[in-house]
Each structure stands twice: as C-alpha cells, then as structure tokens.
Amino acid sequence: MNYPAAELKNLSKHYGKLIAVDSINISIPRGEIFGLLGPNGAGKSTTLRMMLSLIRPTSGEIFFFGKSLFSHRREVLANIGSIIEKPDFYLYLTAKENLWLLAKMNGISSPDKKIKEILNLVGLEGREDDKVKTYSHGMKQRLGIAQALLHDPDFIILDEPTTGLDPQGIIDLRYLLLRLKNEFNKTIALSSHILNEVELIADSMAIIHHGKAVVQGKVTELLTNEQLIVKIESDYTSKVLSVLQETAFAKQLIRYESDAVFINISRNKIPDVVTLLVQHDVPVYSISYQRPLEEYFLKITSQTNR
Amino acid sequence: MLRLIWLECFKIIKKPRSYIGFAAITVIVTLIQVALLADGDEYISFILQSLEQSFLVEGKLLNGYLVCFIILQTLIVQMPLLVALVTGDLVSGEAAAGTLRLLLTRPFSRTQIIIAKWLSGAIYTFILLCWLGALALGVSLMLFGEGDLMVLKNDALVILRSNDVLWRYITALSLAFLSLLTVATFSLMLSCLSDNSIGPIVSAMAVIILFTIIGSLDVPLFDKIKPFLFTTHMIIWRNMFDSPVPLQQIIISISVLVVHITIFLSFSLIYFRTKDIYT
C-alpha cells in the first residue's frame, strides 16, 4: 500500500491538567515539504519531539511509511534525519569526528567518503578538522543539516532550521531543501516561525494552536481564496483609480498614495487587474502583494483565540 | 551493541575531563613516592615507635609493597570522586550539551544506550584502577624493591611474606574495582535523573561522604543500617591483607555491592526508558 510518509493519529500529550497536544491528526504526503506552523507554545516542538520518540505521547499513534514508531522504533528512526530546536554537537570533537560518530551509530561502516560529500553539500569543506566549539551558530546549523542527511534518510524533520543562518544561508537552505525534495524525493517536515519561508517552499502545512491542529492542507489551496493587499505602483495613480472605479474592483480599493494604489483582492484576480490596466494603456512599474500566509496565519490563530 | 560500547568509549577517550583522574593519580602517587624516597625511613621509625618497645624489628620495612599500601590507603577517598567525575556526566552531560537528542534519535533502544554507557563507565573505571595499580605497585617496586609487608591494623599487626603479597594486591584491586563500579553505577543513576552536568557528581560525592560518616560513627542507631550501606563494603580490599583472609566477610561484601549495582542499574534503565527529553 502507498502509505503517507507520516501519520499522526489522535496524538496527545498531557502534563497533568495541562494539555500540550490535543488529539492531533496530521497526514504528511510522501515527497513533499510539510510546514508545521503555530505561535510559541502551540505544541509544535512537542509534536516533533514525539515524532522522534524523545517525548512519550499520553495517547495516540505515529506512523512513518505505514510502520508504527512505537512497535518499529529502531527501523523507523534509521530512516529519519532531524534537527530539533538547535543543532548541538560534541564540542570537544571536530566536525568530521562528530559526523563519523553519528554515521557509525547509524550503521554506516565506511563513512569517510559520505562525510566528505555531505560536508561539501552544506559548504563546510575545509573546516572539517576544526573542533565544533570553534564554529559559529550558522556553521553549527549547516553541520546539523549535514548530520540529518548523513544516513540518507527518506524523512527529514527540521525544527526552525533557518534560526541563526545569515540571508545567504537561508537562501542556500531553501534551495537545498527543494533539491532534496525534487531530486531525491525526500519528505521534509519543518516548523518555522518565518512564514514567508514556509510559503515559499512548503507544499502542505498545518497550523497548530493551543495544541490542536486547527487547519491543514495544501498551501496553494488554503491560500488561493485569501484576500491580498495588492500594491499597484505607478506615477499615474489618478488614471489607475479611474480605470478601477469603472469596474467591480471599485469596491476593493483600500487607499492610494502619490505613486501607488492599494486594493484588496484574491490572488487569482491579479491577472484581471493586469489585463485591465494594459487595455487602458496605464503605465505601471509593478504589481506586488504581501505574502498571504502571514495574514492567513493571524486570521486563523485569532479566530481560535476567541 | 558492541559498536555502541566502542562509540561510548571513543567519547570518553576524546573528552578532556576523562584525563583529570589519570593526572590526579599520577601527581598524588608521585608525590607520595618522592616523599617516601626522601624521608621514608624517618616516617617508618615514627610509626614503629610504639612497637619497638615490644618487638625487635629487622629487615627492609620500607619496600614497594608497603609504599603501595600507603598509597592505596591515601587514595581511597579520592578514587570515587575521580570515577564519579566521568560516570556522573555520562547521561546528564549529554542532556546539558543537547547531544542526548542526537543519541536518542539513532536506531538504538534506550536500554542499549544505558547499558553501553554503563559498560564504558566500567571500562574507564577499570583502566583508571589499572593505572593506579601500575603506578602504586609497579613503580613503587621499581623504586623501593620487594620485601615483607607489614600492615598495622587497629587491633593487630599483620606481617605478610613478600612471596605472599602480589596475589593479595591483584585481588585487592579487583575488589576495589567492584567498589568503584558501585560508585560508577550510582553516579550513572543520578546522571539519568538530572539534566545538568555537575549535579550528579556533587550528589554522588555528598551521598558517599554522608554514608561514610554514618559508617564511622559509633552510634547504636546507625549500627542497624551500616551493613546495608554500600560505603561500608567499599573497603573490603583491605581484608585481603588480613591473615587469614576473612573469606565469608568478603563474600558478604561482594554480595551487598552486587545487589547495589543491580538496583542502581535497574532503576537507571526503568527511569531512562520513560524519560521525556526536553533539553
């Protein structure tokens, strides 16, 4: 059977009266990047830790590729790579020694070639013989990704993977994750507080709030009908306004400035606006919009706060 | 499992803290040997002052066997600390550093991880004791030569012929290993309970000091519990220098220590198997 990459069924974690995770049901499709979103304390990290058997659930089940984590723990964990919270290593060992140790734990008998490849992949070549205690946070983050990929797992769990990375590092990581998905068919579950990052790379997502999965599904489907604030940049704002006011978009006008007009429309209406302005020969510099996930996230979490 | 034990040993080998014990033993043993080389005869005369009125003492009293006995008597207080310094850090040190997450997301059961850590701690303890034996006995014999061993006890003077001593030392060091393994297992258990590195080491020492004080106080209230304290049985190695060797007493002490090791290790396994990892 073609099982999902991961399934969480009625997963709960209680600490006495406090319910950290409340009967979560999540299905993560194979070969996708899955974003787990939620405000601080929502239960994201607890969920990810339960998926790695670091925390024992109060109830519920976790399956990876159809196999129960609890009854096939060793087999399942052998096929998962992860970074949880922050990448920590044996500081008294070099990067190479750390990877060697972890590779051996994963049963890789001659890991030297693999270690070299993976260090090249994350851009740490030339620093492999330095003790990890001399590494910056960004370098440790790269090394964390290296250890997560070292044993070639099919499922990768990343908790806030962009934390501490510089802008170039974030871009590199984004391309690396997309490459892992597209070229190597890896399934990646990541949590992040940088919503734009999730929106850029995730295929599916779930929003956890107060321990419950309040929303989940394909990112494009969830966001398609969301109203965006679209900015039309032009030196001819009066012309833009007059064109829009003659159409149904008149009701969507929010405000205008000397060089821009703002309207509130869904993403799939943007081409209609472009066509309209072109037909009326209005010079436009750009049409842009705020990433919709941010709006969507705030809407969902504020709804469930009530 | 063997791979995991080797990897745990690799970590101990690479950790600078592991060498503190070896350095401390080397310094202490060397200091005692140098001091006895310089002023040993005076020291022996001082000790024998009371005996010389009743006995005629002849021969080379200050020999390698006696020096080794003096060293072991002196170091018995420090050895548990040196062992706990490493074994008390085996789990909690990883929890504090965050590497426990790395370890527990590998394809090993938690039982295997604790057993591997315990065995690597046992190997470290054994090597540390071998180092002590090599320095205290081997170097002392080279520096001071062989001779009969005179052991002054509270209620007796025991003189052992030189050809009757070596096996006693080997057995005494084996019994000392069992004692230190009890300390190692106890500190490993405390290490499982804690998420900081220093707590288990300090706690292990505090308990050993407390039990030792209880054991040394001549209070009837404590007499009933003394036989059950593992510290009471940690000095069984000294019994090897009695004549005849009190075999029954040694067997009882070995049994008590083995029971303690079993309880400490079982508790570690049960607790760690269900522990949630937040660090």
Side-chain angles (χ1 to χ4, degrees), chain A residues 13 15 49 52-56 73-74 84 86 88-90 92-93 97 101 104-106 147, chain B residues 3 7 10-11 14-15 94 97-99 101-104 106-108 110 112 276-278:
Chain A
K13 180 66 183 179
Y15 298 102
R49 281 173 188 260
L52 287 163
S53 82
L54 291 171
I55 292 179
R56 290 169 75 88
R73 184 178 174 277
R74 291 175 61 180
I84 290 294
K86 59 187 179 25
D88 287 309
F89 289 95
Y90 300 100
Y92 50 89
L93 300 180
E97 285 170 338
L101 190 80
K104 285 284 180 186
M105 282 183 186
N106 276 95
Q147 67 79 23
Chain B
R3 188 174 68 219
L7 293 173
F10 174 77
K11 283 191 262 180
K14 286 283 183 175
K15 199 184 277 186
E94 298 229 27
T99 50
R101 293 195 302 271
L102 280 182
L103 192 57
L104 294 182
R106 304 293 137 181
F108 291 103
R110 291 192 179 195
Q112 281 178 313
D276 286 341
I277 308 298
Y278 299 102

Side-chain angles (χ1 to χ4, degrees), chain A residues 73 170 251:
Chain A
R73 184 178 174 277
I170 292 173
K251 287 179 185 170

